[in-house]
């Protein structure tokens, strides 16, 4: 094997008829929503998510998760909005999401359960927290979500991460008033993004805040091959719903194999997107 970049033991996929229609072989989308925010934030997020589900492929699956100082997991099989919560523990391990609900209650096919999904999105306003200091356990939520995907070996996962302020609670907590500038305050989000890539997860980051947290959390989209949406305005003029619809309704290629080879005169300096460095060969990256 003189040229490892030309070799792959996954060139041919052979699946049985029963496996070809398995849910894990179709794209999975999940909205991870910050419920600390203003009424305007909630209204904009609801509009954005309703536009999102209209744009998704017919044969795709959708899930809805909220976060504050606890993680909320929606049961989308229920026609009546139903959410189960688990408290985020800053001093010990948080209860695994797989113990809250079965997988087929967390992710449901969009077309037959469209009404359930819409009802869950419209119920988000009842979960928003207005009268308490915000606690945003984004990092712990991402850890639990990535572990859920690993546990069930789901492929083709795209997360829409909504952030309305500084993640300031438990794992990945940032200073409430980060210094201005472009230097990340912690490598934590760079590391969790790499973990997400290895699990086959792509994150789109939707920032609805003017707080300077993007230099630190931008790696969620930068390293996983997602998009960064910056919409600090939360009025009726916001184009976030249109932006998400346009992006998610574009043609997509799934289960692809890409090889790029150069002469020895070129060297990989950096990489962006869902690339994983090969463990055996230097300067060889794999696209997950």
């Amino acid at each position: 094997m003189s040229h490892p970049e030309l070799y792959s033991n996954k060139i041919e996929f052979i699946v049985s008829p029963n496996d070809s229609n398995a849910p894990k072989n179709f794209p999975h989308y999940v909205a991870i929503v910050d419920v600390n925010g203003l009424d305007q934030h909630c209204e904009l997020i609801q509009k954005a998510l309703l536009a999102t589900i209209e744009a998704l492929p017919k044969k795709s699956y959708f899930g809805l998760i909220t976060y504050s100082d606890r993680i909320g997991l929606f049961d989308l099989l229920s026609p009546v909005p139903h959410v189960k919560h688990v408290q985020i523990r800053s001093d010990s391990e948080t209860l695994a999401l797989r113990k809250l609900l079965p997988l087929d209650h967390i992710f449901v096919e969009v077309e037959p359960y469209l009404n359930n999904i819409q009802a869950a999105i419209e119920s988000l306003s009842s979960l928003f927290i207005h009268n308490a200091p915000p606690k945003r356990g984004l990092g712990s939520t991402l850890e639990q979500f990535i572990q859920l995907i690993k546990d069930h070996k789901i492929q083709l996962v795209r997360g829409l991460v909504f952030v309305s302020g500084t993640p300031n609670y438990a794992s990945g907590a940032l200073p409430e008033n980060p210094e201005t500038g472009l230097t990340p305050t912690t490598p934590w989000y760079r590391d969790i993004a790499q973990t997400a890539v290895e699990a086959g997860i792509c994150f789109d980051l939707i920032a609805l805040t003017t707080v300077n947290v993007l230099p630190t959390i931008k790696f969620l989209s930068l390293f996983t091959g997602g998009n960064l949406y910056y919409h600090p305005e939360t009025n009726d003029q916001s184009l976030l719903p249109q932006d998400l619809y346009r992006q998610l309704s574009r043609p997509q290629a799934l289960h692809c194999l890409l090889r790029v080879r150069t002469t020895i005169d070129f060297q990989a300096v950096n990489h962006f997107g869902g690339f994983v460095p090969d463990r055996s060969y230097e300067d060889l990256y794999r696209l997950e």
Side-chain angles (χ1 to χ4, degrees), residues 41 190 243:
H41 288 131
R190 182 193 296 263
D243 285 349

Side-chain angles (χ1 to χ4, degrees), residues 227-281:
N227 301 288
L228 172 60
Y229 301 91
Y230 181 57
H231 285 268
E233 74 287 347
T234 55
N235 52 38
D236 292 337
Q237 304 303 316
S238 175
L239 298 178
L240 177 59
Q242 294 90 324
D243 285 349
L244 287 177
Y245 181 88
R246 187 183 307 111
Q247 179 64 36
L248 295 173
S249 61
R250 294 169 61 185
Q252 301 179 54
L254 306 174
H255 292 294
C256 299
L257 180 65
L258 171 69
R259 294 192 181 101
V260 179
R261 185 168 185 263
T262 69
T263 67
I264 59 175
D265 297 322
F266 290 86
Q267 181 181 9
V269 176
N270 208 338
H271 67 280
F272 301 93
F275 292 88
V276 179
D278 189 87
R279 298 182 185 275
S280 302
Y281 298 93

